[in-house]
Amino acid sequence: MKRNYLVVITILLFTYQQTIAQTYHEQYRPQIHFSPKAHWMNDPNGMVYYNGIYHLFFQYYPNASVWGPMHWGHAISPDLIHWKQQPIALYPDSIGYIFSGSVVVDKNNTSGLGMNGKPAVVAIFTQHDTAGEHAHTNTYQNQSIAYSNDEGKTWTKYNANPVLKNPGITDFRDPKVMWYDEGNKWIMTLAVKDHIAFYSSPDLKTWTEESQFGKDVGAHGGVWECPDLISFDDNGKKVWALIVNINPGGPNGGSATQYFLGDFDGKIFKPFTTDKKWIDYGPDEYAGVTYSNTDNRKIFLGWMSNWSYAQLVPTEVWRSAMTLPRNLNLMHVGDDMFIASKPVVELNSVAGKQQVINAIAVNPQFDLSQQISNLQLPCRLEFNAEAKSFSVNFSNDKNELLVIGYDEVQKHYYINRSQSGEVDFEKTFSEEHAAPRILNAKMIHLTIIADVSSVELFADDGLSVMTEIYFASKPFGQIQLKSDSGMQVNNFIYTPYKSIWK
Ligand code: FRU
């Protein structure tokens, strides 16, 4: 009898492991990035850190691999790297689909929604009413709230939704809420078509407009979406950053994330400069915003796709992954200031054995595959190079090629995926993309993180960032450094990564 039990348990365990193995290891499935087990995902939503857990909610359509009636999917992680998908957090209702938004921990119980002395976790999101949209009203996007008294596991929608009604503007969405300590109030940053509107509230239930920003500033090649307002400490002085996603109108076409640095006094945001700045110049970081409740640490994460082709990419079971989580910092360059992004250190939890090459003469090329044993993806390459034209070429024996480089004449970084595998599903996908070099320094410090279907470039300590997805028929197993003029590379570090899906 006992033996029978053991046999059954062993079979069950084996089946479970097999299922995980198949589920998270399909062709193109990223191995160090979050992706849903199945079906469609877009924006990250409601990112909040609470009691040792990072929550990641996301725009989710559980019935197909294309966009549809939006729900909030949910995943949790102890370290921002290993994720476990949870039951759906929010379902569409009579007020509408559940569009993007944020989550806060209501520590002072301003909403009165806390229970037994424990703060409520409150989600603030847009509800999109398709009936209103089809009837051509202009009031079909409204802001609602829901709360959780069990640390984000289950959610109850507030009984007097919506809490912020649409004044008659077709695009009125994606509330990002934060506690503004100096003014003892909540601030909501809302995307309103071609500008940002700031609202304040004492209790998350009643909202008053404070000001508007941005009609004549920044990029306006598309609609403004998914904003965020955060602050950095700059040697004892507070500097505010207003993040605004835009679709289309990004620096390399389609959707992208711009930002403004300035002052915020609880009512009005005043930018220091009006030039265009982008958190990530690549085509495949969108709707990126930061975690709430992480004190001075600013952790940013975006959707790793582009509205130009997100619904056409050649994955079937699941569609889209998130970028790696990144730490944001302020950096001074000359008289100007920028946001720099770096992959979070928690990524070390999946790092394998590093291999170091101290000095490499690239003249005109150097084959890493011969120096590094067991070269594999996902992996990280990190090195210092002279600021001369060079490239890092990933390839396989199917003649597929992904090129990441620096152009000394144009003073820009670039990624070319035109021969990287499947590229024909949309006409702009194979175009080359560029990011300006912002830093003026003789040496370039570069970090490249390549997964089986994405590459993230962090140049000059994260001042110039590019994220790109690609679909090679076989993982890249060869890497070459190339430089026509010849160049010196120092402190080259190769780190293989283990899969986050066991
Ligand atoms: C951005 C966006 C948001 C909206 C959501 C709908 O990608 O268009 O503005 O809330 O996606 O899924």
Side-chain angles (χ1 to χ4, degrees):
M1 195 60 184
K2 230 181 183 172
R3 247 188 87 188
N4 285 350
Y5 273 127
L6 268 180
V7 170
V8 171
I9 287 170
T10 314
I11 290 173
L12 281 177
L13 263 178
F14 181 73
T15 322
Y16 174 73
Q17 276 167 355
Q18 287 294 92
T19 317
I20 292 279
Q22 282 156 13
T23 308
Y24 285 102
H25 296 269
E26 304 93 341
Q27 190 183 22
Y28 305 139
R29 171 83 79 174
Q31 294 299 304
I32 54 169
H33 292 81
F34 175 75
S35 56
K37 195 169 180 179
H39 301 131
W40 170 266
M41 173 179 83
N42 56 290
D43 314 358
N45 293 148
M47 292 188 289
V48 65
Y49 178 64
Y50 190 45
N51 284 346
I53 299 286
Y54 290 95
H55 293 264
L56 170 63
F57 299 91
F58 48 89
Q59 288 288 280
Y60 187 46
Y61 182 41
N63 299 331
S65 296
V66 288
W67 192 88
M70 283 289 112
H71 299 54
W72 270 26
H74 186 197
I76 54 170
S77 170
D79 60 2
L80 291 163
I81 304 297
H82 297 89
W83 296 99
K84 275 213 175 88
Q85 200 165 330
Q86 303 296 302
I88 290 173
L90 294 170
Y91 286 80
D93 59 28
S94 60
I95 306 177
Y97 296 175
I98 314 295
F99 270 21
S100 288
S102 47
V103 166
V104 294
V105 180
D106 185 10
K107 287 180 186 152
N108 301 328
N109 199 22
T110 61
S111 62
L113 297 168
M115 223 159 96
N116 305 329
K118 215 175 147 186
V121 182
V122 181
I124 310 97
F125 50 89
T126 300
Q127 293 214 258
H128 176 99
D129 171 31
T130 38
E133 182 188 8
H134 295 146
H136 300 291
T137 70
N138 51 14
T139 52
Y140 53 84
Q141 292 186 341
N142 295 278
Q143 319 317 320
S144 290
I145 63 175
Y147 56 97
S148 169
N149 296 117
D150 57 6
E151 304 189 9
K153 283 190 198 75
T154 58
W155 293 83
T156 308
K157 292 197 186 111
Y158 178 53
N159 59 17
N161 278 339
V163 292
L164 173 57
K165 286 214 171 105
N166 191 313
I169 307 169
T170 45
D171 297 286
F172 188 73
R173 60 178 178 266
D174 308 340
K176 182 73 164 48
V177 174
M178 59 145 196
W179 178 249
Y180 183 68
D181 216 18
E182 294 89 328
N184 209 28
K185 59 185 180 181
W186 298 100
I187 293 289
M188 177 195 290
T189 307
L190 194 72
V192 187
K193 207 181 198 85
D194 58 354
H195 65 275
I196 295 299
F198 295 106
Y199 288 82
S200 71
S201 170
D203 57 5
L204 297 166
K205 295 169 174 168
T206 51
W207 293 93
T208 311
E209 188 172 322
E210 295 284 358
S211 69
Q212 298 183 358
F213 166 81
K215 272 207 175 94
D216 318 312
V217 192
H220 281 280
V223 65
W224 283 19
E225 299 182 318
C226 300
D228 194 1
L229 181 67
I230 55 176
S231 66
F232 292 100
D233 175 68
D234 181 41
N235 297 319
K237 191 177 159 266
K238 219 173 214 188
V239 169
W240 290 85
L242 176 62
I243 295 173
V244 179
N245 286 276
I246 178 172
N247 176 45
N252 279 297
S255 37
T257 309
Q258 63 178 322
Y259 68 93
F260 306 89
L261 296 174
D263 283 325
F264 181 69
D265 63 1
K267 271 183 166 300
I268 293 171
F269 177 81
K270 282 204 190 104
F272 297 146
T273 58
T274 54
D275 47 341
K276 294 180 190 133
K277 293 186 162 107
W278 302 91
I279 288 212
D280 187 319
Y281 284 85
D284 295 311
E285 179 284 304
Y286 190 58
V289 289
T290 62
Y291 263 89
S292 80
N293 208 30
T294 53
D295 297 326
N296 290 331
R297 194 173 173 203
K298 308 294 165 197
I299 307 166
F300 174 93
L301 188 124
W303 172 45
M304 198 155 60
S305 197
N306 189 309
W307 277 117
S308 300
Y309 43 72
Q311 304 192 79
L312 304 171
V313 298
T315 65
E316 271 141 40
V317 179
W318 52 280
R319 264 228 180 90
S320 309
M322 295 301 181
T323 67
L324 284 174
R326 301 157 183 188
N327 259 7
L328 301 186
N329 284 302
L330 210 55
M331 252 175 97
H332 288 260
V333 181
D335 296 337
D336 212 346
M337 263 190 282
F338 295 87
I339 291 180
S341 329
K342 280 187 189 173
V344 296
V345 292
E346 283 88 343
L347 199 51
N348 290 339
S349 67
V350 284
K353 194 168 173 284
Q354 289 192 340
Q355 295 177 57
V356 179
I357 314 175
N358 287 325
I360 302 174
V362 183
N363 196 9
Q365 68 181 50
F366 182 87
D367 192 350
L368 285 167
S369 329
Q370 286 178 6
Q371 293 282 321
I372 288 175
S373 47
N374 305 324
L375 219 159
Q376 60 137 79
L377 297 185
C379 72
R380 172 192 192 118
L381 310 180
E382 208 172 334
F383 56 90
N384 294 312
E386 288 173 90
K388 293 184 170 179
S389 293
F390 70 88
S391 68
V392 181
N393 292 14
F394 288 77
S395 59
N396 59 19
D397 58 16
K398 302 269 180 213
N399 281 331
E400 291 166 345
L401 174 68
L402 177 70
V403 183
I404 298 136
Y406 177 66
D407 183 322
E408 184 184 359
V409 180
Q410 308 277 345
K411 212 179 163 245
H412 71 204
Y413 298 97
Y414 64 90
I415 297 183
N416 189 319
R417 60 184 174 189
S418 60
Q419 300 169 63
S420 62
E422 273 197 71
V423 295
D424 293 341
F425 49 84
E426 193 266 343
K427 63 180 189 313
T428 66
F429 188 80
S430 59
E431 286 169 4
E432 181 171 298
H433 305 117
R437 183 171 196 222
I438 291 165
L439 195 68
N440 280 310
K442 280 212 172 103
M443 295 300 281
I444 286 176
H445 182 250
L446 216 72
T447 301
I448 295 171
I449 298 184
D451 201 335
V452 294
S453 57
S454 67
V455 65
E456 285 158 285
L457 166 71
F458 302 90
D460 301 314
D461 288 322
L463 270 177
S464 301
V465 177
M466 295 183 85
T467 303
E468 307 236 353
I469 54 176
Y470 66 89
F471 302 94
S473 63
K474 213 177 145 187
F476 294 132
Q478 291 138 28
I479 309 178
Q480 286 185 325
L481 302 177
K482 289 196 164 193
S483 172
D484 285 345
S485 60
M487 67 171 322
Q488 183 72 19
V489 166
N490 295 328
N491 308 326
F492 186 96
I493 308 172
Y494 163 83
T495 313
Y497 287 123
K498 294 169 215 148
S499 172
I500 62 171
W501 311 116
K502 291 284 152 39

